[in-house]
Amino acid sequence: MFNYQKELTKFLYIETETPCSDEENKELRALLKSKQSLPPGYHRSVESSTNFVKPAELPEIEELEQKLKLQNAKNLRTIKNCAIFFTVLVALQIILGFILPLTSSAN
């Protein structure tokens, strides 16, 4: 099933997990020692096997859409700046293409 909120979160590289506090880590280690399973969504951290991570609260759809609009605006600005750069580069090449042959023929 498609989950718009999760897909936007993944697309915008928003963290979906947060580290557990020291107290939560102790409780979770005690659960493992007593051969009980971890709560849903909790698992060991990739960086440290003694620490755990838990699911983070997903931002609201409205907040995600605002971030998406901001990311789109940044991307458009980058595209515009690239288009200006290459246009100026081509214009300089055309101008130099006319000037250089004139100066070499004058000699």
Side-chain angles (χ1 to χ4, degrees), residues 14-42:
I14 295 174
E15 292 294 324
T16 56
E17 296 178 334
T18 58
C20 292
S21 66
D22 290 336
E23 186 176 304
E24 288 172 318
N25 281 324
K26 287 177 187 175
E27 291 172 9
L28 293 170
R29 277 188 235 118
L31 278 176
L32 287 180
K33 282 182 182 177
S34 65
K35 305 286 187 203
Q36 295 179 358
S37 62
L38 295 174
Y42 286 75

PDB file of all heavy atoms in Angstrom, residues 14-42:
ATOM      1  N   ILE A  14      14.464  12.717   5.444  1.00  0.00           N
ATOM      2  CA  ILE A  14      14.153  13.065   6.831  1.00  0.00           C
ATOM      3  C   ILE A  14      14.342  11.806   7.668  1.00  0.00           C
ATOM      4  O   ILE A  14      13.898  10.725   7.286  1.00  0.00           O
ATOM      5  CB  ILE A  14      12.718  13.607   6.953  1.00  0.00           C
ATOM      6  CG1 ILE A  14      12.614  14.931   6.185  1.00  0.00           C
ATOM      7  CG2 ILE A  14      12.319  13.785   8.412  1.00  0.00           C
ATOM      8  CD1 ILE A  14      11.222  15.489   6.109  1.00  0.00           C
ATOM      9  N   GLU A  15      15.025  11.947   8.796  1.00  0.00           N
ATOM     10  CA  GLU A  15      15.306  10.804   9.663  1.00  0.00           C
ATOM     11  C   GLU A  15      13.995  10.183  10.151  1.00  0.00           C
ATOM     12  O   GLU A  15      13.102  10.877  10.619  1.00  0.00           O
ATOM     13  CB  GLU A  15      16.140  11.236  10.867  1.00  0.00           C
ATOM     14  CG  GLU A  15      17.541  11.661  10.516  1.00  0.00           C
ATOM     15  CD  GLU A  15      18.386  10.512   9.994  1.00  0.00           C
ATOM     16  OE1 GLU A  15      18.221   9.382  10.480  1.00  0.00           O
ATOM     17  OE2 GLU A  15      19.192  10.760   9.097  1.00  0.00           O
ATOM     18  N   THR A  16      13.914   8.865  10.031  1.00  0.00           N
ATOM     19  CA  THR A  16      12.721   8.158  10.494  1.00  0.00           C
ATOM     20  C   THR A  16      12.992   7.392  11.784  1.00  0.00           C
ATOM     21  O   THR A  16      12.100   6.744  12.303  1.00  0.00           O
ATOM     22  CB  THR A  16      12.218   7.176   9.416  1.00  0.00           C
ATOM     23  OG1 THR A  16      13.271   6.292   9.088  1.00  0.00           O
ATOM     24  CG2 THR A  16      11.753   7.916   8.185  1.00  0.00           C
ATOM     25  N   GLU A  17      14.225   7.473  12.265  1.00  0.00           N
ATOM     26  CA  GLU A  17      14.581   6.816  13.521  1.00  0.00           C
ATOM     27  C   GLU A  17      15.377   7.780  14.380  1.00  0.00           C
ATOM     28  O   GLU A  17      16.111   8.614  13.864  1.00  0.00           O
ATOM     29  CB  GLU A  17      15.419   5.569  13.252  1.00  0.00           C
ATOM     30  CG  GLU A  17      14.690   4.500  12.491  1.00  0.00           C
ATOM     31  CD  GLU A  17      15.564   3.305  12.198  1.00  0.00           C
ATOM     32  OE1 GLU A  17      16.795   3.457  12.125  1.00  0.00           O
ATOM     33  OE2 GLU A  17      15.005   2.212  12.035  1.00  0.00           O
ATOM     34  N   THR A  18      15.219   7.643  15.681  1.00  0.00           N
ATOM     35  CA  THR A  18      15.985   8.458  16.619  1.00  0.00           C
ATOM     36  C   THR A  18      16.665   7.540  17.627  1.00  0.00           C
ATOM     37  O   THR A  18      16.140   6.472  17.948  1.00  0.00           O
ATOM     38  CB  THR A  18      15.080   9.456  17.379  1.00  0.00           C
ATOM     39  OG1 THR A  18      14.069   8.722  18.059  1.00  0.00           O
ATOM     40  CG2 THR A  18      14.440  10.456  16.453  1.00  0.00           C
ATOM     41  N   PRO A  19      17.826   7.955  18.144  1.00  0.00           N
ATOM     42  CA  PRO A  19      18.494   7.121  19.157  1.00  0.00           C
ATOM     43  C   PRO A  19      17.698   7.112  20.455  1.00  0.00           C
ATOM     44  O   PRO A  19      17.049   8.092  20.810  1.00  0.00           O
ATOM     45  CB  PRO A  19      19.844   7.798  19.341  1.00  0.00           C
ATOM     46  CG  PRO A  19      19.877   8.991  18.479  1.00  0.00           C
ATOM     47  CD  PRO A  19      18.590   9.110  17.747  1.00  0.00           C
ATOM     48  N   CYS A  20      17.755   6.007  21.136  1.00  0.00           N
ATOM     49  CA  CYS A  20      17.091   5.886  22.437  1.00  0.00           C
ATOM     50  C   CYS A  20      17.943   6.577  23.507  1.00  0.00           C
ATOM     51  O   CYS A  20      19.169   6.664  23.384  1.00  0.00           O
ATOM     52  CB  CYS A  20      16.900   4.427  22.804  1.00  0.00           C
ATOM     53  SG  CYS A  20      15.724   3.574  21.761  1.00  0.00           S
ATOM     54  N   SER A  21      17.290   7.016  24.559  1.00  0.00           N
ATOM     55  CA  SER A  21      18.007   7.624  25.678  1.00  0.00           C
ATOM     56  C   SER A  21      18.747   6.527  26.452  1.00  0.00           C
ATOM     57  O   SER A  21      18.511   5.336  26.246  1.00  0.00           O
ATOM     58  CB  SER A  21      17.026   8.343  26.604  1.00  0.00           C
ATOM     59  OG  SER A  21      16.170   7.397  27.208  1.00  0.00           O
ATOM     60  N   ASP A  22      19.626   6.935  27.350  1.00  0.00           N
ATOM     61  CA  ASP A  22      20.377   5.973  28.157  1.00  0.00           C
ATOM     62  C   ASP A  22      19.432   5.076  28.964  1.00  0.00           C
ATOM     63  O   ASP A  22      19.644   3.864  29.073  1.00  0.00           O
ATOM     64  CB  ASP A  22      21.341   6.692  29.101  1.00  0.00           C
ATOM     65  CG  ASP A  22      22.495   7.351  28.355  1.00  0.00           C
ATOM     66  OD1 ASP A  22      22.809   6.883  27.234  1.00  0.00           O
ATOM     67  OD2 ASP A  22      23.077   8.304  28.892  1.00  0.00           O
ATOM     68  N   GLU A  23      18.396   5.687  29.508  1.00  0.00           N
ATOM     69  CA  GLU A  23      17.434   4.928  30.306  1.00  0.00           C
ATOM     70  C   GLU A  23      16.698   3.899  29.430  1.00  0.00           C
ATOM     71  O   GLU A  23      16.517   2.743  29.826  1.00  0.00           O
ATOM     72  CB  GLU A  23      16.432   5.896  30.943  1.00  0.00           C
ATOM     73  CG  GLU A  23      15.472   5.242  31.909  1.00  0.00           C
ATOM     74  CD  GLU A  23      14.590   6.277  32.573  1.00  0.00           C
ATOM     75  OE1 GLU A  23      15.130   7.219  33.185  1.00  0.00           O
ATOM     76  OE2 GLU A  23      13.357   6.113  32.461  1.00  0.00           O
ATOM     77  N   GLU A  24      16.285   4.321  28.237  1.00  0.00           N
ATOM     78  CA  GLU A  24      15.610   3.392  27.330  1.00  0.00           C
ATOM     79  C   GLU A  24      16.547   2.263  26.895  1.00  0.00           C
ATOM     80  O   GLU A  24      16.132   1.097  26.799  1.00  0.00           O
ATOM     81  CB  GLU A  24      15.102   4.134  26.091  1.00  0.00           C
ATOM     82  CG  GLU A  24      13.914   5.044  26.356  1.00  0.00           C
ATOM     83  CD  GLU A  24      13.563   5.891  25.151  1.00  0.00           C
ATOM     84  OE1 GLU A  24      14.487   6.413  24.478  1.00  0.00           O
ATOM     85  OE2 GLU A  24      12.358   6.019  24.871  1.00  0.00           O
ATOM     86  N   ASN A  25      17.825   2.612  26.663  1.00  0.00           N
ATOM     87  CA  ASN A  25      18.804   1.591  26.290  1.00  0.00           C
ATOM     88  C   ASN A  25      18.934   0.535  27.387  1.00  0.00           C
ATOM     89  O   ASN A  25      18.984  -0.661  27.107  1.00  0.00           O
ATOM     90  CB  ASN A  25      20.171   2.219  26.000  1.00  0.00           C
ATOM     91  CG  ASN A  25      20.238   2.837  24.620  1.00  0.00           C
ATOM     92  OD1 ASN A  25      19.667   2.321  23.671  1.00  0.00           O
ATOM     93  ND2 ASN A  25      20.932   3.953  24.514  1.00  0.00           N
ATOM     94  N   LYS A  26      18.972   0.975  28.640  1.00  0.00           N
ATOM     95  CA  LYS A  26      19.078   0.028  29.760  1.00  0.00           C
ATOM     96  C   LYS A  26      17.862  -0.887  29.809  1.00  0.00           C
ATOM     97  O   LYS A  26      17.988  -2.103  30.004  1.00  0.00           O
ATOM     98  CB  LYS A  26      19.217   0.788  31.085  1.00  0.00           C
ATOM     99  CG  LYS A  26      20.569   1.441  31.275  1.00  0.00           C
ATOM    100  CD  LYS A  26      20.618   2.226  32.573  1.00  0.00           C
ATOM    101  CE  LYS A  26      21.916   3.011  32.674  1.00  0.00           C
ATOM    102  NZ  LYS A  26      21.940   3.875  33.858  1.00  0.00           N
ATOM    103  N   GLU A  27      16.672  -0.305  29.632  1.00  0.00           N
ATOM    104  CA  GLU A  27      15.446  -1.103  29.662  1.00  0.00           C
ATOM    105  C   GLU A  27      15.424  -2.126  28.529  1.00  0.00           C
ATOM    106  O   GLU A  27      15.033  -3.282  28.718  1.00  0.00           O
ATOM    107  CB  GLU A  27      14.222  -0.190  29.563  1.00  0.00           C
ATOM    108  CG  GLU A  27      13.990   0.676  30.775  1.00  0.00           C
ATOM    109  CD  GLU A  27      12.883   1.696  30.565  1.00  0.00           C
ATOM    110  OE1 GLU A  27      12.173   1.631  29.534  1.00  0.00           O
ATOM    111  OE2 GLU A  27      12.716   2.559  31.447  1.00  0.00           O
ATOM    112  N   LEU A  28      15.859  -1.701  27.345  1.00  0.00           N
ATOM    113  CA  LEU A  28      15.839  -2.605  26.194  1.00  0.00           C
ATOM    114  C   LEU A  28      16.880  -3.717  26.343  1.00  0.00           C
ATOM    115  O   LEU A  28      16.626  -4.871  25.961  1.00  0.00           O
ATOM    116  CB  LEU A  28      16.054  -1.822  24.902  1.00  0.00           C
ATOM    117  CG  LEU A  28      14.914  -0.856  24.538  1.00  0.00           C
ATOM    118  CD1 LEU A  28      15.312   0.048  23.388  1.00  0.00           C
ATOM    119  CD2 LEU A  28      13.647  -1.618  24.202  1.00  0.00           C
ATOM    120  N   ARG A  29      18.047  -3.390  26.903  1.00  0.00           N
ATOM    121  CA  ARG A  29      19.056  -4.422  27.168  1.00  0.00           C
ATOM    122  C   ARG A  29      18.521  -5.447  28.172  1.00  0.00           C
ATOM    123  O   ARG A  29      18.757  -6.652  28.032  1.00  0.00           O
ATOM    124  CB  ARG A  29      20.353  -3.794  27.678  1.00  0.00           C
ATOM    125  CG  ARG A  29      21.234  -3.296  26.559  1.00  0.00           C
ATOM    126  CD  ARG A  29      22.597  -2.846  27.073  1.00  0.00           C
ATOM    127  NE  ARG A  29      22.777  -1.471  26.615  1.00  0.00           N
ATOM    128  CZ  ARG A  29      22.914  -0.403  27.374  1.00  0.00           C
ATOM    129  NH1 ARG A  29      22.957  -0.513  28.676  1.00  0.00           N
ATOM    130  NH2 ARG A  29      23.041   0.789  26.845  1.00  0.00           N
ATOM    131  N   ALA A  30      17.787  -4.946  29.182  1.00  0.00           N
ATOM    132  CA  ALA A  30      17.206  -5.850  30.182  1.00  0.00           C
ATOM    133  C   ALA A  30      16.168  -6.765  29.527  1.00  0.00           C
ATOM    134  O   ALA A  30      16.081  -7.951  29.865  1.00  0.00           O
ATOM    135  CB  ALA A  30      16.571  -5.037  31.302  1.00  0.00           C
ATOM    136  N   LEU A  31      15.395  -6.235  28.579  1.00  0.00           N
ATOM    137  CA  LEU A  31      14.425  -7.066  27.857  1.00  0.00           C
ATOM    138  C   LEU A  31      15.126  -8.192  27.098  1.00  0.00           C
ATOM    139  O   LEU A  31      14.688  -9.341  27.119  1.00  0.00           O
ATOM    140  CB  LEU A  31      13.627  -6.216  26.865  1.00  0.00           C
ATOM    141  CG  LEU A  31      12.441  -5.418  27.385  1.00  0.00           C
ATOM    142  CD1 LEU A  31      11.852  -4.569  26.278  1.00  0.00           C
ATOM    143  CD2 LEU A  31      11.389  -6.335  27.960  1.00  0.00           C
ATOM    144  N   LEU A  32      16.221  -7.856  26.429  1.00  0.00           N
ATOM    145  CA  LEU A  32      16.958  -8.858  25.663  1.00  0.00           C
ATOM    146  C   LEU A  32      17.575  -9.916  26.577  1.00  0.00           C
ATOM    147  O   LEU A  32      17.601 -11.098  26.241  1.00  0.00           O
ATOM    148  CB  LEU A  32      18.034  -8.200  24.802  1.00  0.00           C
ATOM    149  CG  LEU A  32      17.531  -7.428  23.582  1.00  0.00           C
ATOM    150  CD1 LEU A  32      18.695  -6.819  22.828  1.00  0.00           C
ATOM    151  CD2 LEU A  32      16.726  -8.330  22.671  1.00  0.00           C
ATOM    152  N   LYS A  33      18.088  -9.472  27.749  1.00  0.00           N
ATOM    153  CA  LYS A  33      18.694 -10.421  28.687  1.00  0.00           C
ATOM    154  C   LYS A  33      17.657 -11.406  29.210  1.00  0.00           C
ATOM    155  O   LYS A  33      17.965 -12.568  29.455  1.00  0.00           O
ATOM    156  CB  LYS A  33      19.345  -9.691  29.859  1.00  0.00           C
ATOM    157  CG  LYS A  33      20.684  -9.093  29.511  1.00  0.00           C
ATOM    158  CD  LYS A  33      21.315  -8.430  30.723  1.00  0.00           C
ATOM    159  CE  LYS A  33      22.632  -7.783  30.339  1.00  0.00           C
ATOM    160  NZ  LYS A  33      23.244  -7.073  31.475  1.00  0.00           N
ATOM    161  N   SER A  34      16.425 -10.931  29.366  1.00  0.00           N
ATOM    162  CA  SER A  34      15.363 -11.809  29.859  1.00  0.00           C
ATOM    163  C   SER A  34      14.664 -12.551  28.718  1.00  0.00           C
ATOM    164  O   SER A  34      13.595 -13.122  28.911  1.00  0.00           O
ATOM    165  CB  SER A  34      14.344 -11.011  30.675  1.00  0.00           C
ATOM    166  OG  SER A  34      13.691 -10.075  29.836  1.00  0.00           O
ATOM    167  N   LYS A  35      15.300 -12.543  27.525  1.00  0.00           N
ATOM    168  CA  LYS A  35      14.826 -13.294  26.343  1.00  0.00           C
ATOM    169  C   LYS A  35      13.465 -12.835  25.845  1.00  0.00           C
ATOM    170  O   LYS A  35      12.716 -13.597  25.245  1.00  0.00           O
ATOM    171  CB  LYS A  35      14.774 -14.799  26.622  1.00  0.00           C
ATOM    172  CG  LYS A  35      16.067 -15.397  27.100  1.00  0.00           C
ATOM    173  CD  LYS A  35      17.049 -15.505  25.993  1.00  0.00           C
ATOM    174  CE  LYS A  35      18.274 -16.267  26.505  1.00  0.00           C
ATOM    175  NZ  LYS A  35      19.451 -15.994  25.770  1.00  0.00           N
ATOM    176  N   GLN A  36      13.132 -11.557  26.103  1.00  0.00           N
ATOM    177  CA  GLN A  36      11.886 -11.000  25.584  1.00  0.00           C
ATOM    178  C   GLN A  36      12.195 -10.255  24.286  1.00  0.00           C
ATOM    179  O   GLN A  36      13.326  -9.845  24.046  1.00  0.00           O
ATOM    180  CB  GLN A  36      11.246 -10.060  26.599  1.00  0.00           C
ATOM    181  CG  GLN A  36      10.792 -10.749  27.873  1.00  0.00           C
ATOM    182  CD  GLN A  36      10.178  -9.762  28.849  1.00  0.00           C
ATOM    183  OE1 GLN A  36      10.122  -8.570  28.585  1.00  0.00           O
ATOM    184  NE2 GLN A  36       9.716 -10.286  29.976  1.00  0.00           N
ATOM    185  N   SER A  37      11.187 -10.081  23.481  1.00  0.00           N
ATOM    186  CA  SER A  37      11.403  -9.373  22.213  1.00  0.00           C
ATOM    187  C   SER A  37      11.294  -7.858  22.425  1.00  0.00           C
ATOM    188  O   SER A  37      10.659  -7.393  23.372  1.00  0.00           O
ATOM    189  CB  SER A  37      10.384  -9.828  21.168  1.00  0.00           C
ATOM    190  OG  SER A  37       9.079  -9.519  21.601  1.00  0.00           O
ATOM    191  N   LEU A  38      11.923  -7.137  21.524  1.00  0.00           N
ATOM    192  CA  LEU A  38      11.883  -5.673  21.589  1.00  0.00           C
ATOM    193  C   LEU A  38      10.520  -5.169  21.131  1.00  0.00           C
ATOM    194  O   LEU A  38       9.837  -5.839  20.347  1.00  0.00           O
ATOM    195  CB  LEU A  38      12.970  -5.084  20.692  1.00  0.00           C
ATOM    196  CG  LEU A  38      14.418  -5.376  21.082  1.00  0.00           C
ATOM    197  CD1 LEU A  38      15.367  -4.846  20.007  1.00  0.00           C
ATOM    198  CD2 LEU A  38      14.749  -4.757  22.420  1.00  0.00           C
ATOM    199  N   PRO A  39      10.114  -3.986  21.586  1.00  0.00           N
ATOM    200  CA  PRO A  39       8.850  -3.409  21.103  1.00  0.00           C
ATOM    201  C   PRO A  39       8.911  -3.191  19.582  1.00  0.00           C
ATOM    202  O   PRO A  39       9.993  -3.070  19.015  1.00  0.00           O
ATOM    203  CB  PRO A  39       8.767  -2.071  21.849  1.00  0.00           C
ATOM    204  CG  PRO A  39       9.666  -2.210  23.018  1.00  0.00           C
ATOM    205  CD  PRO A  39      10.738  -3.156  22.613  1.00  0.00           C
ATOM    206  N   PRO A  40       7.763  -3.143  18.926  1.00  0.00           N
ATOM    207  CA  PRO A  40       7.743  -2.953  17.470  1.00  0.00           C
ATOM    208  C   PRO A  40       8.473  -1.667  17.053  1.00  0.00           C
ATOM    209  O   PRO A  40       8.287  -0.608  17.652  1.00  0.00           O
ATOM    210  CB  PRO A  40       6.257  -2.843  17.130  1.00  0.00           C
ATOM    211  CG  PRO A  40       5.543  -3.416  18.301  1.00  0.00           C
ATOM    212  CD  PRO A  40       6.431  -3.244  19.484  1.00  0.00           C
ATOM    213  N   GLY A  41       9.337  -1.783  16.054  1.00  0.00           N
ATOM    214  CA  GLY A  41      10.064  -0.633  15.522  1.00  0.00           C
ATOM    215  C   GLY A  41      11.405  -0.392  16.179  1.00  0.00           C
ATOM    216  O   GLY A  41      12.240   0.312  15.638  1.00  0.00           O
ATOM    217  N   TYR A  42      11.643  -0.961  17.344  1.00  0.00           N
ATOM    218  CA  TYR A  42      12.914  -0.791  18.045  1.00  0.00           C
ATOM    219  C   TYR A  42      13.905  -1.831  17.537  1.00  0.00           C
ATOM    220  O   TYR A  42      13.539  -2.973  17.297  1.00  0.00           O
ATOM    221  CB  TYR A  42      12.747  -0.961  19.555  1.00  0.00           C
ATOM    222  CG  TYR A  42      12.073   0.196  20.246  1.00  0.00           C
ATOM    223  CD1 TYR A  42      10.708   0.398  20.144  1.00  0.00           C
ATOM    224  CD2 TYR A  42      12.809   1.088  21.011  1.00  0.00           C
ATOM    225  CE1 TYR A  42      10.084   1.457  20.772  1.00  0.00           C
ATOM    226  CE2 TYR A  42      12.199   2.148  21.652  1.00  0.00           C
ATOM    227  CZ  TYR A  42      10.839   2.335  21.526  1.00  0.00           C
ATOM    228  OH  TYR A  42      10.233   3.387  22.152  1.00  0.00           O
TER     229      TYR A  42
END
